[in-house]
Amino acid sequence: MNIIFLGPPGAGKGTQSKRLETRYGIAQISTGDMLRAEVKAGSDIGREAKSLMDAGKLVPDTIIVSMLESRIQQPDCARGFILDGFPRTVAQAEALDVVLARLSRRIDVVLMLEVDEDALADRIAGRFSCAKCGASYNDVSKPTLVAETCDLCGSHEFIRRADDNRETVASRLSAYRKETLPLLPYYEDKVMVAFIDGMAPIDEVSKQIDSTMTEVEKLTQK
């Protein structure tokens, strides 16, 4: 099962992607994590990407897509993958289609998390994560069970991203509407697109996604 997660920044794509990864045994692929891994490994692509980032430049689509092609061929992607945060533009989607065709693979479903932008700004402003294990929390929707203590590892150290504020969120949402929303009509002509209520409680969002996955599995087995 090969999945693309769409939705504005902070909609919950990462949380649901990790859950699907565990539930269905398919690999979550984050282009940000992929970049950092290549840089850390010191690969040719990683060195090229690092030189660009050090110079304050964006890593071009050609490098991202090349890394993605390599990543998709890793053993943990044999049963499928989840793309979280990619593609962001129609040009990236077209490049991805070329790669998938070359590998005789395809996207089975696009999950679109829909959210209210004002509520999303509140959600993002409340985000924080464990400095030790990376577990994600939120002041309102997902606080730690014990104050100032990570549920998973027991650490008492947490971090908040400096750009998790309303001004930055407004800018990111503007870019999302301009660059990423055009992906909807692009994919609606090609594959199943499922619209998920991202403002529902996390468990309800999960149920909506699982229902969609069941439907997709039935279609792919025909």
Side-chain angles (χ1 to χ4, degrees):
M1 184 79 68
N2 302 320
I3 303 166
I4 288 177
F5 250 114
L6 292 181
K13 299 186 296 297
T15 297
Q16 293 297 332
S17 292
K18 289 184 181 299
R19 190 188 66 83
L20 284 176
E21 181 179 43
T22 301
R23 182 177 176 86
Y24 293 94
I26 53 182
Q28 178 198 21
I29 300 177
S30 162
T31 52
D33 291 344
M34 205 167 50
L35 265 174
R36 287 185 285 272
E38 292 287 348
V39 170
K40 184 178 181 180
S43 66
D44 291 341
I45 290 177
R47 287 195 296 271
E48 184 177 357
K50 186 176 187 302
S51 66
L52 290 167
M53 291 187 290
D54 288 346
K57 299 179 180 179
L58 293 175
V59 178
D61 289 351
T62 52
I63 291 180
I64 299 294
V65 172
S66 179
M67 287 192 300
L68 189 58
E69 182 170 9
S70 175
R71 180 68 183 87
I72 288 172
Q73 296 178 76
Q74 296 294 318
D76 64 337
C77 291
R79 295 185 60 184
F81 56 80
I82 307 161
L83 293 181
D84 171 15
F86 187 92
R88 295 180 186 273
T89 66
V90 171
Q92 290 179 348
E94 291 171 342
L96 175 63
D97 282 347
V98 172
V99 166
L100 293 177
R102 187 157 54 233
L103 300 178
S104 298
R105 302 186 76 161
R106 67 178 186 181
I107 297 299
D108 295 299
V109 63
V110 174
L111 299 174
M112 174 64 184
L113 282 174
E114 297 186 296
V115 297
D116 175 86
E117 291 191 0
D118 289 334
L120 180 64
D122 291 336
R123 176 189 292 180
I124 291 177
R127 294 193 306 193
F128 63 100
S129 61
C130 175
K132 184 176 181 180
C133 72
S136 299
Y137 300 97
N138 188 279
D139 292 325
V140 177
S141 61
K142 190 184 176 183
T144 55
L145 296 176
V146 178
E148 301 182 1
T149 303
C150 177
D151 298 349
L152 298 184
C153 71
S155 172
H156 302 294
E157 297 182 28
F158 297 92
I159 54 178
R160 294 177 185 268
R161 288 174 45 173
D163 59 350
D164 278 351
N165 57 71
R166 286 186 171 276
E167 292 75 15
T168 303
V169 171
S171 177
R172 291 161 67 188
L173 287 173
S174 177
Y176 169 78
R177 287 192 296 269
K178 179 180 178 181
E179 299 175 0
T180 305
L181 275 184
L183 285 171
L184 280 178
Y186 178 84
Y187 278 117
E188 284 176 326
D189 289 338
K190 296 174 177 291
V191 300
M192 176 181 176
V193 176
F195 293 87
I196 309 296
D197 178 10
M199 298 310 300
I202 292 177
D203 288 347
E204 178 58 33
V205 173
S206 299
K207 288 179 181 178
Q208 293 178 57
I209 291 173
D210 288 343
S211 176
T212 298
M213 294 292 286
T214 298
E215 185 177 350
V216 173
E217 286 177 329
K218 290 179 180 178
L219 290 174
T220 56
Q221 291 170 1
K222 289 182 178 181

